[in-house]
Amino acid sequence: DIKQVMEWVSSDDITVNAEEEVFQGIVKWVSHNRNKRQVNFPALLNQVRLVSISHDFLLNKLVNEELVAKNTELCLNVVLDSVRLMASATQDQCVQQPRKCLETNISAIFLCGGSRSLCYFPKENVWYKLSDTLFQHDSRCNPSQCRGKIYIPCRGSDQLGGSNLMECYIPATNSWTAFQVTTEFTVTTVLKDYLYAWDTRSMSPGIYRYDPEKNCCNELKMPSISCCCVVTDVKYIYLIGGFSSQSFVIVPLSTTYRCDPSSDNYEWEEVAPINQARYNACGAAMNGKVYIAGGSQGRAVLNTCEVYNPLTNEWQLMPSLKVPRISASMVCHEGGLYVLGGVDINRSRVLSVETFDSEQNEWRKRSVIPVSCFETSEEEKQTNEFRACAARLSKEVIVKLDPLKK
């Protein structure tokens, strides 16, 4: 009896009109034989997806339900702690996810190149074309999602009329908008619900923390490194590799810096160096570790990859990419690592998508960016390169689109 109820309430695949129905269902089931079943209520309540329940229902009905209110330790405090956690956590940090029937957003890999934007679903190996951007974007400008919207810097004063702009993709409407920023950026990343942006090409770069709600930027200090790989985990921004210029000679770097810019007295800390100096590499964080791949050492384009363990402060080499590439994107998507885009040793764009197979301990080709489905003959000549990020997109928008046929 309890086993069947637990299987139902814990399933992602049940069909309900609202998560409130699940809570009301377990209350009704326990109340039917309260003396015997009340002991099971805390475990059942723990399976209710509070993230999908309205704020009004949570505070006015759920916490006042007698089964919750009279069990302070195992029920009421757990619910209140979850409410506080949801209020401070970003969408990706929420432990609970909505049931499939109640999802409004779905996880995908978002790509942008030239004036085109796409999304990719690796599990289904399906691509969709999204709305075109307002301006052209090259491989030096990468997208990042912050507070539900996707931001990508705009480069090129001619097309912008001399202004420095940032474009913003709104998933709910599949549309783009743009706003003015203080300087020309090439790199964006997100940490603790703030967007950070800077120009990695500069030898004396400034990093800006952007608050989307207040539409304001604060400049922060950072090391003088050009073309480093930028990665964020749950706490730090990492600056990995890059190059310095000595007597007009580019010197690849193996340094790794990190900092928590949210602290009042933040400082950049130098941690263990990577094994192979490189610049224009790609990277991502997953399961408490930091990964980098590819990059350049001048004329050489690399396919080597490394992984950093913060607990041991050590970088280790791992299996290499199938295709050497620079200025690519590495994305963590649903527990997997994907490398997309970039250019190869001949400076030709790379369209293959590689994923790391942890069981076989190797990178393998998963897909190809289907440019033939949407690029014009003029775009084919331009060979626009693509950059990518992990994203949560509107399920309502995606289901109305037709998949691209490769």
Side-chain angles (χ1 to χ4, degrees):
D1 196 11
I2 178 60
K3 184 178 179 181
Q4 289 180 328
V5 176
M6 181 62 76
E7 287 179 354
W8 178 79
V9 77
S10 63
S11 174
D12 283 334
D13 299 316
I14 62 172
T15 300
V16 291
N17 293 317
E19 189 67 19
E20 288 84 345
E21 293 180 4
V22 178
F23 174 74
Q24 292 166 337
I26 66 171
V27 169
K28 185 176 181 180
W29 181 81
V30 170
S31 300
H32 186 72
N33 190 349
R34 186 161 180 158
N35 289 336
K36 182 179 179 181
R37 296 175 176 177
Q38 186 170 350
V39 67
N40 298 309
F41 183 75
L44 293 171
L45 179 63
N46 195 47
Q47 297 301 323
V48 176
R49 312 296 172 86
L50 300 180
V51 69
S52 296
I53 290 182
S54 70
H55 191 73
D56 180 69
F57 187 93
L58 270 173
L59 297 184
N60 295 322
K61 294 185 179 181
L62 190 149
V63 298
N64 292 321
E65 162 59 43
E66 185 179 3
L67 288 166
V68 176
K70 288 193 173 181
N71 192 336
T72 304
E73 182 178 355
L74 296 180
C75 293
L76 183 60
N77 287 346
V78 171
V79 170
L80 295 177
D81 286 344
S82 296
V83 171
R84 284 190 286 269
L85 179 62
M86 288 187 292
S88 61
T90 64
Q91 192 172 43
D92 290 336
Q93 292 172 335
C94 286
V95 175
Q96 288 185 320
Q97 297 297 329
R99 301 179 199 277
K100 292 179 180 179
C101 64
L102 300 178
E103 282 184 334
T104 57
N105 296 313
I106 48 179
S107 296
I109 296 177
F110 175 91
L111 297 89
C112 186
S115 63
R116 306 294 193 173
S117 66
L118 314 167
C119 63
Y120 174 53
F121 295 89
K123 185 177 180 180
E124 298 82 7
N125 197 21
V126 174
W127 296 83
Y128 294 91
K129 182 184 175 299
L130 303 173
S131 295
D132 290 344
T133 60
L134 303 176
F135 302 100
Q136 292 284 324
H137 299 276
D138 63 27
S139 64
R140 287 168 287 188
C141 298
N142 74 293
S144 296
Q145 186 168 42
C146 182
R147 305 186 193 184
K149 299 177 181 178
I150 299 174
Y151 297 86
I152 183 167
C154 301
R155 292 192 63 253
S157 58
D158 291 340
Q159 66 170 337
L160 306 179
S163 299
N164 298 310
L165 298 180
M166 184 90 75
E167 275 202 77
C168 174
Y169 175 75
I170 305 171
T173 57
N174 189 25
S175 61
W176 289 87
T177 185
F179 58 93
Q180 194 163 359
V181 291
T182 55
T183 188
E184 184 178 74
F185 297 124
T186 57
V187 171
T188 61
T189 191
V190 175
L191 178 64
K192 299 180 181 179
D193 239 13
Y194 284 96
L195 183 74
Y196 292 84
W198 62 95
D199 185 354
T200 61
R201 300 165 304 151
S202 173
M203 293 307 298
S204 56
I207 180 172
Y208 293 79
R209 181 169 61 204
Y210 175 68
D211 186 333
E213 293 179 358
K214 297 180 180 179
N215 191 27
C216 64
C217 289
N218 296 316
E219 186 174 6
L220 307 172
K221 60 187 177 183
M222 68 175 291
S224 296
I225 306 171
S226 187
C227 296
C228 58
C229 174
V230 182
V231 177
T232 55
D233 60 11
V234 295
K235 185 176 181 180
Y236 297 106
I237 294 179
Y238 287 83
L239 307 180
I240 307 165
F243 69 75
S244 63
S245 182
Q246 301 176 7
S247 301
F248 303 102
V249 176
I250 291 178
V251 179
L253 300 175
S254 60
T255 52
T256 303
Y257 294 93
R258 71 179 184 185
C259 85
D260 175 6
S262 64
S263 62
D264 293 333
N265 299 314
Y266 73 93
E267 294 289 342
W268 288 93
E269 170 192 13
E270 187 170 356
V271 294
I274 51 179
N275 292 283
Q276 194 170 14
R278 63 185 80 201
Y279 56 91
N280 283 336
C282 60
M286 184 177 73
N287 298 332
K289 296 182 179 180
V290 176
Y291 297 81
I292 61 166
S296 177
Q297 286 188 329
R299 294 183 178 179
V301 176
L302 306 177
N303 66 346
T304 53
C305 305
E306 302 187 34
V307 55
Y308 174 70
N309 187 341
L311 297 179
T312 61
N313 189 29
E314 183 181 22
W315 285 95
Q316 290 185 334
L317 290 169
M318 58 180 287
S320 297
L321 297 172
K322 290 190 173 298
V323 179
R325 53 182 98 196
I326 62 174
S327 300
S329 296
M330 182 185 289
V331 176
C332 173
H333 171 76
E334 296 186 339
L337 288 175
Y338 297 83
V339 170
L340 311 88
V343 297
D344 61 19
I345 193 169
N346 298 314
R347 296 303 190 265
S348 299
R349 67 175 177 177
V350 180
L351 297 177
S352 63
V353 178
E354 297 187 42
T355 183
F356 186 68
D357 187 331
S358 56
E359 293 184 359
Q360 298 296 322
N361 195 35
E362 66 177 8
W363 291 90
R364 58 182 177 83
K365 182 178 176 181
R366 174 59 178 157
S367 187
V368 175
I369 302 173
V371 294
S372 61
C373 296
F374 55 83
E375 282 191 340
T376 64
S377 56
E378 184 62 30
E379 286 176 312
E380 289 179 7
K381 296 176 184 177
Q382 294 172 349
T383 61
N384 295 313
E385 300 160 27
F386 291 84
R387 296 297 297 270
C389 70
R392 297 281 292 173
L393 302 178
S394 169
K395 184 177 181 179
E396 183 179 1
V397 167
I398 300 302
V399 297
K400 294 178 180 178
L401 301 176
D402 292 325
L404 295 174
K405 297 180 179 179
K406 300 185 286 294

